[in-house]
Amino acid sequence: MFVTSREQKLIQSFLRRERLTISEMMELTGTSRRTLYRDLEKLQQSLPEAIELKTSEEGYYLAGDLTELTRAHELVEYSVIERLYGELLLL
């Protein structure tokens, strides 16, 4: 599972707090709303199939078997370019 540093922050925050609002995520990642939505889309694509990013009136949350994320100690931070190269190599 390849994740950027912002995705890493989001995952760790979801595991700690369960639900996050857009404002909380923008503050956490230091990004604009537009960039955050792109990051959330990329995060959904990076998550294992058993986990989904969902939304409710209270905010966004991860649903599914989150033990895969808590066991994934090898979550390494990659820049966007490094991530794309890694994905290209996997193809």
Side-chain angles (χ1 to χ4, degrees):
M1 179 173 155
F2 295 109
V3 293
T4 65
S5 61
R6 291 194 305 253
E7 291 169 340
Q8 174 78 15
K9 287 178 187 176
L10 290 171
I11 289 170
Q12 294 305 318
S13 295
F14 279 123
L15 292 175
R16 280 193 308 273
R17 296 182 48 197
E18 206 168 296
R19 291 185 193 273
L20 296 169
T21 64
I22 292 294
S23 298
E24 291 169 333
M25 290 186 281
M26 286 171 49
E27 184 177 324
L28 177 72
T29 59
T31 60
S32 68
R33 183 177 297 267
R34 187 174 184 171
T35 299
L36 178 63
Y37 282 122
R38 282 194 301 263
D39 286 349
L40 290 174
E41 185 177 322
K42 290 176 189 172
L43 176 62
Q44 177 63 56
Q45 295 170 0
S46 298
L47 291 171
E49 288 185 25
I51 301 173
E52 282 186 85
L53 181 63
K54 294 191 172 194
T55 186
S56 70
E57 290 180 11
E58 296 86 28
Y60 284 79
Y61 64 98
L62 294 176
D65 183 12
L66 301 184
T67 57
E68 290 187 45
L69 293 178
T70 57
R71 287 184 300 193
H73 297 292
E74 72 277 359
L75 290 179
V76 179
E77 296 183 18
Y78 292 97
S79 71
V80 174
I81 298 297
E82 290 171 326
R83 178 179 169 173
L84 291 174
Y85 282 133
E87 290 175 354
L88 183 62
L89 288 173
L90 290 174
L91 295 175

